[in-house]
Amino acid sequence: MLHLKYKLVALFLLAGSALLAQKENAVVANQLVIVTNNPGPVISKDIYGHFSEHLGTCIYGGLWVGLDSKIPNSYGIRNDVLFALREIKVPNLRWPGGCFADTYHWKDGIGPQNKRANIVNIYWGGVTEDNSFGTHEFMKLTELIGCDAYINGNVGSGTVREMAEWVEYLTSDSESPMTRLRKENGQEKPWKVRYWAIGNENWGCGGNMNAEFYTNVMRQYSTYLGNLGGNNLYRVACGPSDINYGWTETLMKDEETRRMFEGISLHYYSVVDGWDVKSSATNFDERQWFETFRLNYKMDEILKGHSAILNRYDPQNKKGLIVDEWGNWFQVEPGTNPGFLYQQNTMRDAITAAIHLNIFNNHADRVKVANLAQMVNVLQSVILTKDDKMVLTPTYYVFRMFRVHQEAKLLPTDLRCENYSYKGVDIPALTTSASVDAEGKVHITIANLNPSKEITVSCPLIGDVYKSATGEVLTASAMNAMNSFEKPDVVKTVSFSGFKLKDNVLTVTMPAKSVVAIELKK
Ligand code: AHR
């Protein structure tokens, strides 16, 4: 109801302001109207979540180096990576997969490290893992980052008992076999676990189930996922890929089923030129640059499609959409193990991140969690590591710029902008979202997708009066500019002065291929 009121008032104000603007200035090429005094839903901090899978060198080497490593670490976790992650305020971390999750048996990863069972990672490169990173190490990692744990349980090859015992081991404070085991392994007190996924991609690598079969299996598993020791699990049912609206419909249509979960996951990757070809991550032309963003924008359509189904069955907005895998999926770096999905990251990925995060903010009423795939050394990572070296990617800087939106309230915006066109296809040249935080500061994030054209956008502020503004920008001279181990500081944020604030109208000149964050104060 509150959101409906926000939407109606916002629509009215935005329509009024757009008319006014048109009257005053017949041709308004690029205009972003922001209503500052009628905030909408809170932007869940968990939209800024990350994903760490046992895949390539994400865990082993990227996050975990072990207690005996020469690389400076805390309890086996790399310090350089830890500090960088704390800086972007990672709110939650998903683990252990991905496809790996439905092969993972958690009891293999507890107890003395030298006694743990070796396993073969069948989905990712067929490598043998020594399981030195397991439940205790993951929970320590979340504690050191200062984020919530998001654990993905095994439905595909696990059992109901195995999953129920994992929850008991982690969260119970009763005297029980699992809590005794946990204490024997050095953890006296139960942990808190916020999010729990009931399988991953169970329509594919998680068991090749159809929607009806999975729905019944999920109901069975969910029955035994207890809220123990004062913990309150947010249960995530495995949802669809892309536009598989039938899957969402099957999960949502029945009231009994809806009681078994709080959120539905959704996976969408942008794969330029299809799965068989894929764009190179670093060696691409303007066609592929454009195509990446055209595909990125589809996230908005996909969210609208699934939200429409949720709105029918859950008009009170109780169920969340959990976009727990998203990002660009390119070719692996030449010479690297194809099963490790290791890709570099450029200015193109930074704009991809801005497009997605703006879309998620603007869907704050439904999107409660999102997890970029993946945190370190896999797909669109925020961090790359090589031995003792670490590089922060262009995507990292976007997460740093956007962290101010976490738990702020979404502001109504109306963006009318020119298109970025390539060979007769058009997409909006600008993407944006705005929020107001608890201290009353307004945060506006904008990206300019056009690789060769600066764009000036005029932003009338409807509502409160703002007296000062500051800004940051991320841009680069080349579309494929990147940070490497040899040159780690090619793409990074700098202070931005390409704006003016006069009579409550903010005018921003967006450099070509850039991401800008502006903060307004009264
Ligand atoms: O992120 C890589 C893989 O992509 C995940 O393991 C899987 O869930 C998805 O298909």
Side-chain angles (χ1 to χ4, degrees):
M1 220 36 208
L2 182 76
H3 291 168
L4 185 65
K5 193 174 142 219
Y6 146 78
K7 276 181 190 157
L8 289 174
V9 177
L11 271 176
F12 179 74
L13 288 170
L14 288 170
S17 60
L19 277 177
L20 190 75
Q22 272 177 16
K23 215 169 136 198
E24 282 172 358
N25 183 358
V27 185
V28 180
N30 296 296
Q31 189 186 57
L32 169 64
V33 178
I34 305 172
V35 181
T36 58
N37 59 356
N38 185 45
V42 169
I43 297 172
S44 161
K45 65 181 187 330
D46 290 314
I47 284 174
Y48 292 84
H50 289 264
F51 173 32
S52 56
E53 181 164 10
H54 288 239
L55 199 178
T57 53
C58 179
I59 300 288
Y60 295 105
L63 289 160
W64 172 256
V65 285
L67 296 164
D68 301 331
S69 173
K70 288 206 179 86
I71 298 173
N73 66 82
S74 305
Y75 305 92
I77 299 156
R78 305 176 63 122
N79 287 344
D80 50 357
V81 172
L82 264 182
F83 286 126
L85 293 175
R86 289 175 67 89
E87 175 76 12
I88 55 172
K89 286 175 68 182
V90 171
N92 73 81
L93 182 58
R94 179 173 178 245
W95 173 83
C99 293
F100 178 81
D102 284 273
T103 67
Y104 184 62
H105 301 284
W106 68 272
K107 284 187 184 163
D108 292 341
I110 56 170
Q113 292 194 336
N114 57 3
K115 297 218 174 92
R116 294 186 190 175
N118 282 354
I119 52 159
V120 175
N121 191 329
I122 55 163
Y123 279 119
W124 306 120
V127 291
T128 300
E129 297 187 5
D130 67 3
N131 259 313
S132 52
F133 189 91
T135 299
H136 289 248
E137 292 74 21
F138 173 69
M139 294 310 292
K140 181 53 89 180
L141 171 63
T142 60
E143 185 196 310
L144 294 174
I145 294 175
C147 71
D148 280 327
Y150 178 0
I151 292 189
N152 204 120
N154 177 351
V155 166
S157 71
T159 63
V160 176
R161 177 177 177 173
E162 184 183 15
M163 195 187 286
E165 285 187 339
W166 202 4
V167 173
E168 185 186 328
Y169 184 90
L170 281 154
T171 60
S172 174
D173 59 357
S174 306
E175 183 56 30
S176 79
M178 288 305 111
T179 55
R180 267 200 300 282
L181 186 58
R182 183 189 71 223
K183 288 174 191 175
E184 274 164 34
N185 289 330
Q187 179 70 22
E188 189 63 28
K189 288 222 167 93
W191 289 283
K192 292 275 184 262
V193 176
R194 176 81 182 110
Y195 296 102
W196 194 278
I198 308 168
N200 168 73
E201 296 193 353
N202 300 94
W203 36 262
C205 63
N208 284 309
M209 303 173 189
N210 64 32
E212 288 73 21
F213 183 79
Y214 170 75
T215 300
N216 286 326
V217 170
M218 181 277 295
R219 288 171 59 140
Q220 185 192 8
Y221 272 75
S222 182
T223 307
Y224 301 96
L225 297 180
N227 280 329
L228 312 171
N231 190 60
N232 193 13
L233 277 187
Y234 185 105
R235 297 160 301 172
V236 180
C238 165
S241 172
D242 312 346
I243 54 164
N244 186 351
Y245 299 123
W247 187 281
T248 302
E249 179 78 30
T250 306
L251 279 174
M252 286 299 294
K253 67 185 176 198
D254 171 62
E255 202 186 330
E256 286 286 315
T257 306
R258 288 201 297 275
R259 282 200 209 113
M260 311 306 282
F261 61 83
E262 281 69 47
I264 297 183
S265 71
L266 168 65
H267 291 180
Y268 172 64
Y269 288 100
S270 300
V271 187
V272 173
D273 295 336
W275 289 102
D276 291 341
V277 179
K278 295 200 223 81
S279 163
S280 155
T282 55
N283 186 11
F284 55 85
D285 54 19
E286 190 177 346
R287 183 190 68 78
Q288 290 158 312
W289 164 274
F290 178 90
E291 185 59 6
T292 307
F293 304 144
R294 193 186 69 76
L295 294 172
N296 294 163
Y297 271 128
K298 285 199 177 293
M299 178 60 92
D300 188 50
E301 274 170 58
I302 294 170
L303 288 175
K304 283 185 181 137
H306 292 290
S307 296
I309 300 170
L310 267 62
N311 292 346
R312 251 192 294 127
Y313 295 108
D314 173 38
Q316 302 296 322
N317 272 34
K318 292 210 171 110
K319 306 290 173 202
L321 276 175
I322 311 299
V323 191
D324 54 16
E325 290 187 28
W326 66 270
N328 290 332
W329 192 317
F330 297 132
Q331 289 168 16
V332 299
E333 282 306 293
T336 63
N337 185 332
F340 282 12
L341 310 185
Y342 174 78
Q343 67 190 42
Q344 245 294 5
N345 198 287
T346 67
M347 191 61 219
R348 172 171 63 164
D349 295 281
I351 291 181
T352 288
I355 292 173
H356 281 82
L357 295 173
N358 280 332
I359 291 174
F360 297 149
N361 286 347
N362 289 323
H363 281 273
D365 55 346
R366 245 339 148 184
V367 177
K368 298 300 171 195
V369 180
N371 302 78
L372 174 66
Q374 301 190 356
M375 189 178 239
V376 189
N377 293 338
V378 179
L379 300 179
Q380 194 181 336
S381 300
V382 288
I383 291 174
L384 302 176
T385 65
K386 188 160 86 179
D387 306 323
D388 62 345
K389 294 201 182 74
M390 178 189 78
V391 154
L392 305 176
T393 67
T395 299
Y396 175 91
Y397 288 103
V398 174
F399 272 80
R400 204 171 74 177
M401 294 168 93
F402 276 62
R403 69 193 160 167
V404 288
H405 288 305
Q406 293 188 21
E407 298 295 307
K409 285 186 178 159
L410 182 68
L411 291 177
T413 51
D414 183 40
L415 173 65
R416 312 272 160 102
C417 72
E418 65 187 67
N419 282 327
Y420 166 36
S421 309
Y422 187 84
K423 301 242 159 109
V425 184
D426 298 329
I427 54 176
L430 302 177
T431 135
T432 191
S433 64
S435 67
V436 58
D437 68 19
E439 293 164 29
K441 288 183 278 183
V442 165
H443 302 285
I444 308 160
T445 44
I446 313 175
N448 175 8
L449 284 50
N450 195 313
S452 44
K453 187 180 174 206
E454 168 183 290
I455 297 178
T456 296
V457 55
S458 154
C459 314
L461 307 167
I462 313 292
D464 298 332
V465 175
Y466 293 86
K467 300 228 171 74
S468 69
T470 49
E472 260 190 308
V473 63
L474 186 75
T475 188
S477 53
M479 293 187 289
N480 66 348
M482 70 189 95
N483 297 330
S484 64
F485 295 101
E486 296 71 37
K487 290 186 182 165
D489 293 324
V490 173
V491 188
K492 59 195 265 198
T493 38
V494 292
S495 145
F496 180 61
S497 55
F499 62 86
K500 64 177 198 288
L501 178 62
K502 191 163 178 273
D503 300 335
N504 230 24
V505 176
L506 174 76
T507 308
V508 186
T509 299
M510 297 287 304
K513 52 175 141 34
S514 67
V515 182
V516 162
I518 304 268
E519 180 179 290
L520 302 175
K521 281 192 200 147
K522 284 182 186 163

